[in-house]
Coordinates of all heavy atoms in Angstrom, one line a residue:
V385 N 30.4 -12.5 14.7 CA 30.0 -13.9 14.8 C 29.1 -14.2 13.6 O 28.3 -13.4 13.2 CB 29.4 -14.2 16.1 CG1 30.3 -14.0 17.3 CG2 28.1 -13.4 16.3
S386 N 29.1 -15.5 13.2 CA 28.2 -15.9 12.2 C 27.0 -16.6 12.9 O 27.0 -16.9 14.1 CB 28.9 -16.9 11.3 OG 29.3 -18.1 12.0
T387 N 26.0 -16.9 12.1 CA 24.8 -17.6 12.7 C 25.1 -19.0 13.2 O 24.3 -19.5 13.9 CB 23.7 -17.6 11.6 OG1 24.2 -18.2 10.4 CG2 23.2 -16.2 11.3
G388 N 26.2 -19.6 12.7 CA 26.6 -20.9 13.2 C 27.3 -21.0 14.5 O 27.7 -22.1 14.9
V389 N 27.6 -19.8 15.1 CA 28.4 -19.8 16.3 C 27.5 -20.0 17.5 O 26.5 -19.2 17.6 CB 29.2 -18.5 16.4 CG1 29.9 -18.4 17.8 CG2 30.3 -18.5 15.3
E390 N 27.7 -20.9 18.3 CA 26.9 -21.1 19.5 C 27.5 -20.3 20.7 O 28.7 -20.0 20.8 CB 26.9 -22.6 19.9 CG 26.2 -23.5 18.9 CD 26.2 -24.9 19.3 OE1 27.1 -25.3 20.2 OE2 25.4 -25.7 18.8
G391 N 26.6 -19.9 21.6 CA 27.1 -19.2 22.9 C 27.2 -17.7 22.8 O 27.7 -17.1 23.7
A392 N 27.0 -17.1 21.6 CA 27.1 -15.7 21.5 C 25.9 -15.0 22.1 O 24.8 -15.5 22.2 CB 27.1 -15.3 20.0
F393 N 26.1 -13.8 22.6 CA 25.0 -13.0 23.2 C 24.3 -12.1 22.2 O 23.3 -11.6 22.4 CB 25.3 -12.2 24.5 CG 26.6 -11.4 24.4 CD1 26.6 -10.2 23.7 CD2 27.7 -11.9 25.0 CE1 27.8 -9.4 23.7 CE2 28.9 -11.1 25.0 CZ 28.9 -9.9 24.3
A394 N 24.9 -12.0 20.9 CA 24.2 -11.4 19.8 C 23.4 -12.5 19.1 O 23.9 -13.6 19.0 CB 25.3 -10.8 18.8
T395 N 22.2 -12.2 18.7 CA 21.3 -13.1 18.1 C 20.8 -12.6 16.7 O 21.0 -11.4 16.4 CB 20.1 -13.5 19.0 OG1 19.3 -12.3 19.1 CG2 20.6 -14.0 20.3
E396 N 20.2 -13.4 15.9 CA 19.6 -12.9 14.7 C 18.5 -11.8 15.0 O 18.3 -10.9 14.2 CB 19.0 -14.1 13.9 CG 20.1 -15.0 13.3 CD 19.5 -16.0 12.3 OE1 19.0 -15.5 11.2 OE2 19.6 -17.2 12.5
E397 N 17.8 -12.0 16.0 CA 16.8 -11.0 16.4 C 17.4 -9.7 16.9 O 16.9 -8.6 16.6 CB 15.8 -11.6 17.5 CG 14.7 -10.7 17.9 CD 13.8 -11.3 19.0 OE1 14.1 -12.4 19.4 OE2 12.8 -10.6 19.3
H398 N 18.5 -9.8 17.7 CA 19.2 -8.7 18.2 C 20.7 -8.8 17.8 O 21.5 -9.3 18.6 CB 19.1 -8.6 19.7 CG 17.7 -8.4 20.1 ND1 16.9 -7.2 20.0 CD2 16.8 -9.3 20.8 CE1 15.7 -7.4 20.5 NE2 15.6 -8.6 21.0
P399 N 21.0 -8.5 16.5 CA 22.4 -8.8 16.0 C 23.5 -7.9 16.6 O 24.7 -8.3 16.5 CB 22.2 -8.5 14.5 CG 21.1 -7.5 14.4 CD 20.2 -7.9 15.5
Y400 N 23.2 -6.8 17.3 CA 24.2 -6.0 18.0 C 23.9 -6.1 19.5 O 22.9 -5.7 20.0 CB 24.1 -4.6 17.5 CG 24.0 -4.4 16.0 CD1 23.1 -3.6 15.4 CD2 24.9 -5.1 15.2 CE1 23.0 -3.4 14.0 CE2 24.8 -5.0 13.8 CZ 23.9 -4.1 13.2 OH 23.8 -4.0 11.9
A401 N 24.9 -6.6 20.2 CA 24.7 -6.7 21.6 C 26.1 -6.4 22.3 O 27.1 -6.7 21.8 CB 24.3 -8.1 22.0
A402 N 26.0 -5.8 23.5 CA 27.2 -5.4 24.2 C 27.2 -5.9 25.6 O 26.1 -5.8 26.3 CB 27.3 -3.8 24.2
H403 N 28.3 -6.3 26.1 CA 28.5 -6.7 27.5 C 29.6 -5.8 28.0 O 30.8 -6.1 27.8 CB 28.8 -8.2 27.6 CG 28.7 -8.7 29.0 ND1 27.5 -9.2 29.5 CD2 29.6 -8.7 30.1 CE1 27.7 -9.6 30.8 NE2 28.9 -9.3 31.1
G404 N 29.3 -4.7 28.7 CA 30.3 -3.7 29.0 C 30.9 -3.1 27.7 O 30.2 -2.8 26.7
P405 N 32.2 -3.1 27.6 CA 32.8 -2.6 26.4 C 33.1 -3.6 25.3 O 33.7 -3.4 24.3 CB 34.2 -2.0 26.9 CG 34.5 -2.8 28.0 CD 33.2 -3.2 28.7
W406 N 32.6 -4.8 25.5 CA 32.7 -5.9 24.5 C 31.4 -5.9 23.6 O 30.3 -6.2 24.1 CB 32.9 -7.2 25.2 CG 33.1 -8.4 24.3 CD1 33.4 -8.4 22.9 CD2 33.0 -9.8 24.6 NE1 33.5 -9.7 22.4 CE2 33.3 -10.5 23.5 CE3 32.8 -10.5 25.8 CZ2 33.3 -11.9 23.4 CZ3 32.8 -11.9 25.8 CH2 33.0 -12.6 24.6
L407 N 31.6 -5.7 22.4 CA 30.5 -5.7 21.4 C 30.6 -6.9 20.5 O 31.6 -7.3 20.1 CB 30.6 -4.4 20.5 CG 29.6 -4.3 19.3 CD1 28.2 -4.1 19.8 CD2 30.0 -3.2 18.3
Q408 N 29.4 -7.5 20.4 CA 29.3 -8.7 19.4 C 28.3 -8.3 18.3 O 27.3 -7.6 18.6 CB 28.8 -9.9 20.1 CG 29.8 -10.6 21.0 CD 29.3 -12.0 21.5 OE1 28.3 -12.5 21.1 NE2 30.1 -12.5 22.4
I409 N 28.7 -8.6 17.1 CA 27.9 -8.3 15.9 C 27.7 -9.6 15.2 O 28.6 -10.3 14.7 CB 28.6 -7.3 15.0 CG1 28.8 -6.0 15.7 CG2 27.8 -7.1 13.7 CD1 29.5 -4.9 14.9
L410 N 26.4 -10.0 15.0 CA 26.0 -11.2 14.3 C 25.6 -10.8 12.9 O 24.8 -10.0 12.7 CB 24.9 -12.0 15.0 CG 24.5 -13.3 14.4 CD1 24.1 -14.3 15.5 CD2 23.4 -13.2 13.4
L411 N 26.3 -11.5 11.9 CA 26.0 -11.2 10.5 C 25.5 -12.4 9.8 O 26.1 -13.5 9.9 CB 27.3 -10.7 9.8 CG 28.0 -9.4 10.4 CD1 29.2 -9.1 9.7 CD2 27.0 -8.2 10.4
T412 N 24.5 -12.3 9.1 CA 24.0 -13.4 8.3 C 24.9 -13.6 7.0 O 25.6 -12.7 6.6 CB 22.6 -13.2 7.8 OG1 22.5 -12.0 6.9 CG2 21.6 -12.9 9.0
E413 N 24.8 -14.8 6.4 CA 25.7 -15.1 5.3 C 25.3 -14.1 4.1 O 26.2 -13.6 3.4 CB 25.4 -16.5 4.8 CG 26.3 -16.9 3.6 CD 26.2 -18.4 3.3 OE1 25.7 -19.2 4.2 OE2 26.6 -18.8 2.2
E414 N 24.1 -13.8 3.9 CA 23.7 -12.9 2.9 C 24.3 -11.5 3.1 O 24.8 -10.9 2.2 CB 22.2 -12.8 2.8 CG 21.6 -11.8 1.8 CD 20.1 -11.7 1.8 OE1 19.5 -12.2 2.7 OE2 19.6 -11.1 0.9
F415 N 24.3 -11.0 4.3 CA 24.8 -9.7 4.6 C 26.3 -9.7 4.5 O 27.0 -8.8 4.0 CB 24.4 -9.2 6.0 CG 24.7 -7.8 6.4 CD1 24.9 -6.9 5.4 CD2 24.9 -7.4 7.7 CE1 25.2 -5.5 5.7 CE2 25.2 -6.1 8.0 CZ 25.4 -5.2 7.0
V416 N 27.0 -10.8 4.9 CA 28.4 -10.9 4.7 C 28.8 -10.8 3.3 O 29.8 -10.1 2.9 CB 28.9 -12.3 5.3 CG1 30.4 -12.5 4.9 CG2 28.8 -12.3 6.8
E417 N 28.1 -11.5 2.4 CA 28.4 -11.4 1.0 C 28.2 -10.0 0.5 O 29.0 -9.5 -0.3 CB 27.4 -12.3 0.2 CG 27.7 -13.8 0.5 CD 28.9 -14.4 -0.3 OE1 29.6 -13.6 -0.9 OE2 29.0 -15.6 -0.2
Q418 N 27.2 -9.3 0.9 CA 27.0 -7.9 0.5 C 28.1 -7.0 1.0 O 28.7 -6.2 0.3 CB 25.7 -7.4 1.1 CG 25.4 -5.9 0.8 CD 24.1 -5.4 1.5 OE1 23.3 -6.2 2.0 NE2 23.9 -4.1 1.4
M419 N 28.6 -7.2 2.3 CA 29.7 -6.4 2.8 C 31.0 -6.7 2.1 O 31.7 -5.7 1.8 CB 29.8 -6.7 4.3 CG 28.7 -6.2 5.2 SD 28.9 -6.6 6.9 CE 30.3 -5.6 7.3
L420 N 31.2 -7.9 1.7 CA 32.4 -8.2 1.0 C 32.5 -7.5 -0.3 O 33.6 -7.0 -0.7 CB 32.5 -9.7 0.7 CG 33.1 -10.6 1.8 CD1 32.9 -12.1 1.5 CD2 34.5 -10.3 2.1
G421 N 31.4 -7.3 -1.0 CA 31.3 -6.6 -2.2 C 31.6 -5.1 -2.0 O 32.4 -4.4 -2.7

Side-chain angles (χ1 to χ4, degrees):
V385 299
S386 67
T387 54
V389 174
E390 295 180 339
F393 47 78
T395 65
E396 289 191 62
E397 184 180 0
H398 299 288
Y400 313 132
H403 195 90
W406 181 15
L407 174 68
Q408 286 187 10
I409 298 180
L410 187 145
L411 302 177
T412 63
E413 183 175 341
E414 181 182 8
F415 189 25
V416 169
E417 294 283 8
Q418 179 185 347
M419 291 179 67
L420 277 171

